[in-house]
Amino acid sequence: LNTQHTCRDAITLMEDEMLQQMPLLDETTQHYIALIQYKDVLDWQDEQQLLVHTSLLNYKPAILANAHPFDALKVMRNNELAILPVLDKQQAYIGYLTQEDLINYLGQQTAIQQEGAIIVVEVAQKDLSFAEIARICESEQVPIWSMHSYIIPETGRVEITIKTNSVHVSGLVQSIERHNFQVTA
């Protein structure tokens, strides 16, 4: 969207592209102005009013191009976004990330395509030691492709998902349990 678009234009474009949000840019400088949301323009009283003359310009979630994808994921999740504008250091619009982009990134980072078993371990936060878990895996000759943690809100315990490079992990599971880690899956 640009500064010449009306609320009606925004509704039409979002419906045509099947998007819930679209960035509004200054068409001359390509600077990011705001993220326009479908639900907001749909509720706007005057469909012929230019977007730049509305109060819809205060919502500006974005991320810098050099930010880590985990930061982008956090912004998207916290703001319930389908797209996230990406800016350079001068605030010029570069493009946007989609949920699909981040899912693809996470799929690559978690070695989901690699052969191997997944083990889920639960532990109290005070007993958490990634080094200890890695040492146990190495002692069983089962290298780790990736390891991710999640704090369970209800209990405060930590769930650790371990992606190994081996499908034969029964010995590793027994060893993990011997070291007082609870294997949950």
Side-chain angles (χ1 to χ4, degrees), residues 167-175:
V167 293
H168 307 290
V169 293
S170 58
L172 173 59
V173 169
Q174 291 172 0
S175 185

Side-chain angles (χ1 to χ4, degrees), residues 1-2 24-33 86-88 90-95:
L1 298 168
N2 66 50
L24 174 64
L25 308 178
D26 179 306
E27 67 274 4
T28 308
T29 64
Q30 291 302 298
H31 277 88
Y32 173 63
I33 298 171
V86 179
L87 312 177
D88 67 15
Q90 290 74 40
Q91 301 298 300
Y93 179 77
I94 296 172

Side-chain angles (χ1 to χ4, degrees), residues 26-97:
D26 179 306
E27 67 274 4
T28 308
T29 64
Q30 291 302 298
H31 277 88
Y32 173 63
I33 298 171
L35 188 65
I36 304 299
Q37 298 198 84
Y38 180 77
K39 62 183 172 84
D40 294 338
V41 290
L42 201 56
D43 291 339
W44 196 255
Q45 320 72 304
D46 181 4
E47 287 188 347
Q48 295 310 312
Q49 188 171 14
L50 290 174
L51 289 168
V52 294
H53 296 141
T54 68
S55 62
L56 303 175
L57 307 181
N58 296 325
Y59 191 59
K60 301 178 182 190
I63 194 148
L64 292 176
N66 63 351
H68 193 278
F70 283 5
D71 293 326
L73 184 61
K74 180 180 178 181
V75 172
M76 287 186 84
R77 186 175 186 278
N78 289 346
N79 290 282
E80 299 179 7
L81 299 176
I83 67 166
L84 177 62
V86 179
L87 312 177
D88 67 15
K89 290 179 183 177
Q90 290 74 40
Q91 301 298 300
Y93 179 77
I94 296 172
Y96 62 85
L97 291 172

